[in-house]
Amino acid sequence: MSGAVKGRVMVLGARSEIGLAIARTFAAQGHPISLAARRSEELEAERADITLRHNVDVELLEFDVLETAALGPFVQDAPGLPSVVVSVIGAMGDQRDSETDVAAAAQVFRTNFEGPAQVLGLYAERMISEGAGGTLVGVSSVAGDRGRGSNYVYGSAKAGFTAFLSGLRNRLAEQGVHVVTVKPGFVDTQMTRGMDLPKALTAAPEEVGVAVLRAVEKQRNVSYVRPVWWLVMRIICALPEGIFKRTKL
């Protein structure tokens, strides 16, 4: 990532607080930015602010990860190819709704796994075919490390996304395209507002932005935004099933 010319960074899901924090972090390093999201015109104020603060080009792109038929044209027909593509798309949904409403569960599965996996897979193919190399970043979740009763629909979708990223990284290891998996843990955003979250385990969106930047620069494979989450999840994953079933996690 060194050199006078910085590569463009595409943020998929840029309407989220984490997405904007990632965009601002890369823009502060001189990277031109593409903000892709539904109702992208509503990001005009953020576009102007990032442009003014960091003197970089910022474009808005209309993008809906659930419009499967449009993903191919979005990736293939766009002029220029970003050097970094970050998918920060996600939605927790309501666990109880997902247990009783197949449409609600499908929305969680599609938003957290199907769509992000498909669009990053398409970018991988374009990076390979153009011989451009690059970095793909998937913002997944610690919730995918082990299914828990409180959020296993969301967690299983993230587990699928994590496995997809791992497989893609393995496949592309010698083709000049690096794949990074980022696991933020709790983040203080609108999605978690009102929850009683432990401060030691809760990151600000800006921390996620810095973690993504560092992971890209250092070509990390998997990054826990707060390293303590690695230890927490190793303990949770090590619990025998008989004990785990009696927990309320």
Side-chain angles (χ1 to χ4, degrees):
M1 302 301 292
S2 62
V5 178
K6 300 283 187 174
R8 178 169 290 276
V9 177
M10 170 77 73
V11 180
L12 303 169
R15 287 173 60 84
S16 69
E17 293 163 81
I18 296 175
L20 286 171
I22 292 169
R24 291 187 178 110
T25 303
F26 276 93
Q29 298 300 310
H31 293 272
I33 302 294
S34 298
L35 300 175
R38 293 180 297 163
R39 306 189 304 281
S40 58
E41 72 279 1
E42 295 178 8
L43 291 172
E44 177 55 35
E46 286 79 7
R47 187 200 67 77
D49 180 70
I50 295 172
T51 300
L52 182 63
R53 286 177 186 273
H54 304 298
N55 192 31
V56 297
D57 177 67
V58 182
E59 65 176 356
L60 301 180
L61 299 172
E62 190 64 22
F63 172 75
D64 186 342
V65 79
L66 298 182
E67 294 291 338
T68 305
L71 296 182
F74 178 85
V75 172
Q76 296 298 332
D77 298 344
L81 178 62
S83 60
V84 179
V85 179
V86 183
S87 173
V88 69
I89 299 162
M92 188 176 294
D94 181 275
Q95 171 64 25
R96 184 56 185 154
D97 287 347
S98 295
E99 292 168 1
T100 57
D101 182 343
V102 293
Q107 183 83 354
V108 173
F109 292 140
R110 295 194 65 212
T111 303
N112 292 289
F113 173 44
E114 179 186 304
Q118 287 179 325
V119 72
L120 289 186
L122 289 167
Y123 269 115
E125 292 306 309
R126 187 173 173 191
M127 286 177 171
I128 293 169
S129 66
E130 296 189 13
T135 303
L136 301 171
V137 181
V139 177
S140 189
S141 173
V142 299
D145 286 9
R146 187 170 191 177
R148 292 176 288 124
S150 60
N151 68 353
Y152 63 83
V153 174
Y154 169 78
S156 63
K158 287 297 191 184
F161 188 43
T162 296
F164 177 88
L165 294 169
S166 176
L168 191 63
R169 178 166 48 247
N170 180 247
R171 176 191 157 213
L172 302 181
E174 297 182 356
Q175 299 192 57
V177 180
H178 186 62
V179 180
V180 182
T181 306
V182 176
K183 301 182 181 183
F186 299 138
V187 184
D188 183 15
T189 65
Q190 189 173 359
M191 191 164 73
T192 60
R193 213 141 285 154
M195 296 181 180
D196 184 20
L197 302 178
K199 292 185 66 173
L201 297 177
T202 305
E206 291 75 16
E207 289 182 64
V208 183
V210 172
V212 171
L213 175 68
R214 288 177 178 167
V216 170
E217 289 181 337
K218 295 181 180 299
Q219 295 284 278
R220 289 177 175 150
N221 297 315
V222 179
S223 174
Y224 287 81
V225 171
R226 288 203 170 185
V228 66
W229 271 109
W230 179 88
L231 178 61
V232 170
M233 295 315 300
R234 294 290 69 74
I235 293 171
I236 291 175
C237 289
L239 290 175
E241 198 66 21
I243 296 174
F244 187 66
K245 284 194 296 184
R246 295 197 293 273
T247 65
K248 299 293 183 184
L249 297 174

